[in-house]
Amino acid sequence: ILKFLHASQVEEMADKSVSSFSCKSPLFPYNIKTGDKEINFQFAIKKYSEGDYFIVTFGIPLITIEY
């Protein structure tokens, strides 16, 4: 995802089943501040054990639902 969007990762959070990333890409024109950095999209990857599949959630500029 990062390579496709020419993006850099700004923040990351991970636990046993979910990894979420806050990123910045020149392809999206608007930014928001998080601490002293700027981001303009987030994505999360959740692994479901019952079936071994993944769900990717994407938000511009933020994910506003539970993932």
Side-chain angles (χ1 to χ4, degrees):
I1 292 174
L2 294 175
K3 186 175 181 179
F4 180 75
L5 295 174
H6 308 283
S8 59
Q9 179 181 313
V10 176
E11 297 175 344
E12 176 182 0
M13 186 282 303
D15 66 20
K16 187 176 178 180
S17 62
V18 177
S19 295
S20 67
F21 306 89
S22 297
C23 308
K24 186 169 182 184
S25 169
L27 301 177
F28 303 116
Y30 302 105
N31 301 309
I32 61 170
K33 277 197 150 276
T34 173
D36 61 342
K37 301 174 184 170
E38 292 184 337
I39 65 168
N40 55 17
F41 77 96
Q42 293 181 316
F43 69 98
I45 303 168
K46 183 170 185 174
K47 182 180 188 301
Y48 288 89
S49 59
E50 67 281 339
D52 254 0
Y53 64 93
F54 297 88
I55 299 282
V56 177
T57 305
F58 198 86
I60 301 171
L62 297 172
I63 296 172
T64 59
I65 60 169
E66 185 176 342
Y67 49 87

